[in-house]
Structure formats: structure tokens, C-alpha cells
Amino acid sequence: MQIAEAAAALRAGGLVILPTETVYGLAADAANPQAVAAVYEAKGRPSFNPLIAHVGDLAAARRIARFDARAERLAQAFWPGPLTLVLPVGDTDAVCDLARAGLDTVAVRMPAHPLARRLLAAFGGAVVAPSANRSGRPSPTTYADAVEETGDKAAAALDGGPCAVGLESTVVALLDAPRLLRPGAVTRSEIEALIGPLAEAEADAKRSPGRLARHYAPKSPVRLEAEAPQPGEAYLAFGPAAAGEQVWNLSPSGDLREVAANLFAYLRAADRSAPTAIAVAPIPHEGLGEAINDRLKRAAGFVG
Ligand code: TXA
Ligand code: MG
């Protein structure tokens, strides 16, 4: 019932708050330039920063993008799931120019969340879905946070509970040498095991426009690699640590998956306590830690 209403809203050019396994998205019909324009406007997002096209099956993905052997291998291994592939564009009507920011490439992903899959099946076409936050704010990982961010702009909203992964998808460009544009839940080593070494994202703004945008910034300053909080600071702890009024423990047992799932919600909670700063404990850099530390650096304002 809710799914049918949400699919009808998409068909009418409306925006839909969409749960995925990574973060909540603000979805629109990828083929409808007016609907896509409304997404940029709702987020306050610059239109030179292209969107990800979400599809329900491989056949749809192969229509909108041109797959090579590397893309096939990664899609086989990780879809549906938290991996986005940037490929040469196929059908340019299925994902309109504005959604691609005029590029001749397209970002494609097949999400795993059951509600996202049901909506994509009911709608039938590709759906753009940037994270449902307003531009420059942490991605929402709960229904309440998504509704708080952009709910007033949405014609329908689906409650899929808290997001299991909690960080945005890994973005890999397969245009020339494979490049890691955004680390995420599918780790560098999992990808390299299948297609060989990943080059770093280039500084070239045309190829990696997302790296220019300011991201994931809470209102309070963020202090990283903090062994302990100072008076007035909120603290995001990791591992066994003393509890306190302004302490949120990302994972008492030291589990990086738990850190990823809690990160954005705890950044928001800490921010709401209006501290002098949010101090964050050191988090290991290996595996999923690469994506977690990437988001923390952006929250602290160290990256573009
Ligand atoms: O997990 C996710 O990917 C979430 C959920 C909702 O699916 N979506 C998401 O979308 O994080 P967004 O718009 O917040 O991030 C998309 C990223 C941006 O960094 C953007 O620059 C990059 O993908 N991107 C999209 N199309 C691209 C393209 N053609 N070339 C290079 N980068 C692209
Ligand atoms: Mg985003």
C-alpha cells in the first residue's frame, strides 16, 4: 500500500524519502528533469555534483550504463549492496542530463534494503537518490533524522528502520584505471581482490565532482584522535571507556561495523548537546576504518 503510494508519487514527479541499507535517500524519477531539479533544490546541492541512479535489477543497470568485464565482476560480487559504479553512460534518457550533471558517465547502484527493492520494482525505472540530508550535513541513518532533514520536501516517506550499514556506498569509477572515489562499506581490499589495484581519486573536479562539496559537517567543531574529552566537549568513544553524560560510545567492543552504523546518528546526538567541540577517539584505519576515518575527516572540515 505504502509502496504503491510512493511509486505513484515518483511517477507524478514527487520526491520520496527512501530507506537503503547505507543511509536514507531522497528519491526522484531519474528520467524526469523537473523532479531531479527538485532534488537539488530540496538539498541545497550544487547541480554540478551528479546523483547516483538506483536500479532494481542488472538488466536495468546494463541499459543505463556500459558494463565492461570489471563492472560485471563487481556487480556479481556485491549487488545488491553498498557499492556504486561510475561507468560510461548508456541510455541518456533513462538518467537525464541534469542527474548526471551533464557528464558522459553515470553512477549506478542496486540497493539491498527490502523497501528500496520493492519501491524500485513497483516504479519500474531508475531512481536518483542522494543522501536525504540538506547539503553539508551528516547523512541521515534513521527515519526521524531523514524526515527532520528533508521531510517537508517529500511527497511520501518510507520508514525502513535504522540503516544497517550507516555510511554511504563505496564509489568506484571504471573509466580508465579503476579509482576509489569514495571509500565505503565494501572495502578497498575486497574490490582489489577482484579487479586489481585501485588508484586514488584524482583532484580533477570533472571526474570526481563530489570531492569538492563540503560534507558531513555538524555545527560544533570536531576534534579527532582525542584520547579523552576536555571539559565542555562531547565525546565519541571507541572500545572500553568510562561512560558520562556527554559520552556516546561508537562501539564498546571495538567493532568497526558497529561504529559505521552508529557514526552519523551519534554525531547528530553529540551536536544537539551543544558542546564546545565533539572530540572523537582514535579509530583504526584498516578495512572499514578507511571509510569511517574519511567521514570523520570531512566532519572535522579537513577535506574540501
Ligand atoms: O549510499 C549511497 O550511495 C546513498 C544512498 C541513498 O544510496 N546515496 C548517496 O548519494 O550517498 P550522494 O548523492 O550523497 O553521493 C553520490 C556521490 C557523490 O560524491 C557524487 O559526486 C558521486 O557519487 N557521483 C555521482 N555520479 C558521478 C559521476 N558520474 N562521476 C563521478 N562521481 C559521481
Ligand atoms: Mg550525500
Side-chain angles (χ1 to χ4, degrees):
M1 189 57 185
Q2 266 217 312
I3 296 281
E5 277 164 25
L10 288 176
R11 262 179 230 116
L15 310 186
V16 173
I17 296 224
L18 174 71
T20 84
E21 72 281 19
T22 58
V23 301
Y24 273 80
L26 185 64
D29 178 356
N32 179 339
Q34 265 104 26
V36 173
V39 170
Y40 284 108
E41 200 193 333
K43 281 181 59 83
R45 172 168 171 144
S47 55
F48 58 76
N49 190 6
L51 306 175
I52 297 171
H54 296 63
V55 295
D57 56 58
L58 257 177
R62 292 195 189 106
R63 268 197 301 281
I64 66 177
R66 295 211 302 275
F67 275 61
D68 62 10
R70 302 170 301 185
E72 291 288 348
R73 197 173 299 171
L74 292 178
Q76 280 305 331
F78 300 114
W79 283 359
L83 174 69
T84 295
L85 300 176
V86 174
L87 300 169
V89 67
D91 178 352
T92 51
D93 292 332
V95 183
C96 68
D97 257 15
L98 184 59
R100 290 179 285 106
L103 299 174
D104 55 5
T105 59
V106 64
V108 198
R109 132 168 159 82
M110 191 193 297
H113 194 290
L115 285 187
R117 295 182 62 70
R118 283 172 57 201
L119 180 63
L120 287 165
F123 176 62
V127 152
V128 291
S131 47
N133 53 289
R134 300 183 53 79
S135 204
R137 304 252 310 138
S139 297
T141 54
T142 66
Y143 180 69
D145 285 343
V147 168
E148 184 189 318
E149 287 285 329
T150 50
D152 56 332
K153 309 290 195 318
L158 296 173
D159 184 353
C163 300
V165 173
L167 298 178
E168 306 84 350
S169 60
T170 306
V171 181
V172 174
L174 296 173
L175 301 171
D176 31 53
R179 278 175 207 284
L180 184 61
L181 299 189
R182 179 171 75 184
V186 176
T187 63
R188 173 191 293 275
S189 61
E190 286 176 308
I191 295 165
E192 290 183 334
L194 294 180
I195 62 165
L198 285 170
E200 288 310 316
E202 51 209 336
D204 180 356
K206 272 213 177 106
R207 281 292 174 85
S208 310
R211 303 189 72 83
L212 285 181
R214 189 170 145 73
H215 271 315
Y216 317 119
K219 293 192 185 96
S220 322
V222 175
R223 186 167 73 84
L224 300 180
E225 308 284 343
E227 297 292 348
Q230 271 155 25
E233 284 184 336
Y235 190 51
L236 300 193
F238 174 72
E245 221 165 82
Q246 295 214 101
V247 177
W248 287 263
N249 199 325
L250 290 164
S251 174
S253 67
D255 174 356
L256 289 179
R257 282 181 191 277
E258 192 179 1
V259 174
N262 287 332
L263 183 63
F264 288 136
Y266 286 8
L267 274 172
R268 283 170 183 278
D271 207 19
R272 277 188 206 110
S273 74
T276 54
I278 303 171
V280 186
I283 310 287
H285 288 251
E286 298 74 44
L288 187 51
E290 183 178 7
I292 293 164
N293 281 288
D294 170 78
R295 303 309 190 274
L296 282 172
K297 263 193 334 202
R298 289 168 190 275
F302 292 150
V303 186

